Amino acid sequence: MTFEEAKKTKNIKVGFANEAPWAFMDEKGELTGYAPAVAREVLKKLGIDHVEGEVTEFDSLIDNARAKKYAFVAAGMSIKPDRCKNSDFAVPDYQVGSAFLVPKGNPKNITRFEDIKGAKVKIATLGGAVENQFAKDAGVPSSQIEPMPKQDDILRAVQAGDVYGAAILDVTAAWLVKNNPDAGLEVTESFQAGDKPEVGTFNFRLDDDEFREAFNKELIELHKSGRWLELVEPFGLTEANDTYPDLATEEKVDEYCGK
């Protein structure tokens, strides 16, 4: 579906990975989360009223967008150079840190990626997510990192003790603990794993410049007006996650893409 077709029909399909609180199906089967909430607000300004979601494994989101299975990715995706080769990103929409989901008390005292190797434990990650590269950069052997396709798989694995913990975004970890109070888990203190803030946003096909630029214009206005914060607070994001004004620019996209 093209941007013009979406405006004519007032309908659009987006790809998401069913990862709360970023984009997920609620108990009623409705698409919700940070990304759908923000996308719906932007798309309404563009004359598109209905958003349909298609669940996709995280590491297949960009490929499926390229294959035109949906118009763009609304999943909470970090901007990374390898992803920029085959897709284009909107301006940075949020900034986050990393954290570990661990058993209460954190008996192995895992607080940084560098701790994993010495503790000789296995840590789960989401397949295709940024934490896999963070672990590699920190010298963690691949045998100690277990990528999993779904967030639910990660939560169950940590609860069952199949892995010691999970390396995920701090917002994700906090959400899981809040919504699973009897799981016996806790979140380590948030930290910055890379050399600059981790930023994420919406992802578009390379040939959709008109759509992406129109989307960017309205997205920046959401941040300027304060409406963005109202939309994302129910999903655990706060003013600390806002990218406006310093990071919400197209120049920052180029910087994070390594251009």
Side-chain angles (χ1 to χ4, degrees):
M1 174 178 286
T2 66
F3 182 33
E4 290 302 319
E5 288 170 340
K7 287 191 291 185
K8 286 179 182 178
T9 63
K10 299 187 180 298
N11 289 279
I12 201 165
K13 182 183 283 188
V14 302
F16 70 106
N18 212 30
E19 182 188 1
W22 305 102
F24 60 101
M25 300 297 284
D26 65 15
E27 295 175 352
K28 298 179 181 178
E30 298 290 332
L31 177 61
T32 187
Y34 138 78
V38 174
R40 284 191 180 102
E41 194 84 358
V42 170
L43 292 167
K44 282 180 183 177
K45 300 288 187 180
L46 300 178
I48 302 168
D49 297 326
H50 180 71
V51 180
E52 178 185 351
E54 180 168 318
V55 180
T56 304
E57 289 186 4
F58 191 88
D59 56 1
S60 298
L61 284 166
I62 289 177
D63 286 343
N64 282 359
R66 292 176 68 198
K68 299 187 177 181
K69 292 185 177 180
Y70 34 77
F72 67 102
V73 176
M77 180 178 285
S78 295
I79 304 176
K80 294 295 178 184
D82 59 332
R83 295 171 179 166
C84 298
K85 293 176 183 177
N86 298 311
S87 63
D88 278 332
F89 283 94
V91 296
D93 193 42
Y94 64 84
Q95 56 181 319
V96 288
S98 294
F100 292 97
L101 184 68
V102 296
K104 277 191 175 177
N106 193 12
K108 297 292 186 180
N109 197 31
I110 302 295
T111 61
R112 295 292 187 275
F113 285 95
E114 290 80 3
D115 298 332
I116 299 171
K117 183 177 180 180
K120 297 180 180 179
V121 296
K122 278 193 172 183
I123 297 291
T125 59
L126 185 66
V130 294
E131 288 77 21
N132 295 284
Q133 188 61 47
F134 288 154
K136 183 178 179 180
D137 292 344
V140 181
S142 58
S143 60
Q144 288 180 251
I145 299 298
E146 193 164 334
M148 298 183 178
K150 299 177 182 178
Q151 186 183 75
D152 286 347
D153 297 336
I154 291 174
L155 179 62
R156 283 195 294 268
V158 179
Q159 282 184 279
D162 296 334
V163 293
Y164 173 73
I168 50 182
L169 298 179
D170 53 4
V171 172
T172 305
W175 178 274
L176 288 173
V177 169
K178 179 182 178 181
N179 288 276
N180 296 276
D182 300 323
L185 305 176
E186 69 180 41
V187 184
T188 63
E189 186 176 345
S190 176
F191 64 97
Q192 184 177 305
D195 58 359
K196 53 189 174 184
E198 190 69 21
V199 300
T201 190
F202 302 88
N203 182 274
F204 293 81
R205 290 191 288 268
L206 287 172
D207 57 352
D208 273 352
D209 291 348
E210 181 186 357
F211 187 12
R212 178 178 48 78
E213 289 167 6
F215 194 98
N216 275 343
K217 180 180 178 182
E218 298 299 339
L219 184 59
I220 292 170
E221 285 300 318
L222 278 188
H223 283 268
K224 281 184 181 179
S225 67
R227 176 62 176 153
W228 181 86
L229 189 58
E230 295 175 1
L231 292 167
V232 304
E233 280 182 327
F235 305 105
L237 283 81
T238 69
E239 191 174 354
N241 301 112
D242 199 347
T243 54
Y244 185 80
D246 296 336
L247 297 175
T249 68
E250 293 190 13
E251 288 77 15
K252 285 297 178 182
V253 178
D254 290 342
E255 179 183 321
Y256 275 83
C257 284
K259 295 180 180 179

